[in-house]
Amino acid sequence: MTGGGNEYVKIYYPSDNMVQDDAELQAWWKEVREVGHGDIKDQPWWPKMTTVQELVRSCATIIWIASALHAAVNFGQYSYAGYLPNRPTVRAGGQCRSREPRSTRRWRLIQIWPSSTPSRASFRASLECL
């Protein structure tokens, strides 16, 4: 990310002085540190945002967090959360408005329920919601 980012940022900030003189950029960086991370704003590892290279690295980190890290952390949840009995809150909703008798609704669920059901207990728990 830093390779292409470096070339792109240098279009708008060809020198370190331009980074230092951009009041809007400096105000944004101050807000990132002091408002967004107020509890750790005084840590020595924060970039000072005085060079083009610091801007490139900071932007690359933000892009990585919003893309690759987010995907790595969240995409693994589907195998667990995609199975309905593992997320009972998904079933939380209003009362069933169907006029069919409960036994008919249960029978329809039995017909469409996947064959890889892990246990009878989870199946019964799902039926109780009907």
Side-chain angles (χ1 to χ4, degrees):
M1 283 186 243
T2 56
N6 192 22
E7 293 174 20
Y8 184 78
V9 169
K10 284 193 175 192
I11 294 171
Y12 298 97
Y13 297 97
S15 70
D16 293 342
N17 288 338
M18 291 189 75
V19 172
Q20 296 166 11
D21 294 340
D22 188 338
E24 191 172 336
L25 175 66
Q26 295 300 324
W28 170 75
W29 188 244
K30 182 178 179 181
E31 182 179 349
V32 167
R33 281 191 346 257
E34 295 179 5
V35 178
H37 298 284
D39 56 336
I40 55 173
K41 66 181 178 183
D42 297 323
Q43 295 296 319
W45 45 259
W46 280 103
K48 304 293 183 217
M49 202 55 70
T50 56
T51 66
V52 173
Q53 196 56 36
E54 287 176 337
L55 176 59
V56 169
R57 290 188 67 204
S58 299
C59 289
T61 300
I62 292 169
I63 292 168
W64 178 77
I65 288 170
S67 60
L69 177 65
H70 176 76
V73 169
N74 291 309
F75 288 170
Q77 295 177 2
Y78 183 75
S79 58
Y80 176 78
Y83 179 61
L84 186 64
N86 288 339
R87 292 181 52 209
T89 56
V90 170
R91 294 183 289 203
Q95 291 289 330
C96 181
R97 300 195 192 286
S98 175
R99 296 185 185 262
E100 295 177 317
R102 281 184 109 179
S103 59
T104 306
R105 291 193 310 261
R106 286 182 181 177
W107 176 246
R108 190 172 316 125
L109 180 63
I110 290 169
Q111 289 175 330
I112 63 169
W113 196 264
S115 60
S116 61
T117 304
S119 70
R120 283 186 154 194
S122 64
F123 182 69
R124 283 195 188 128
S126 296
L127 286 179
E128 291 305 315
C129 292
L130 296 174

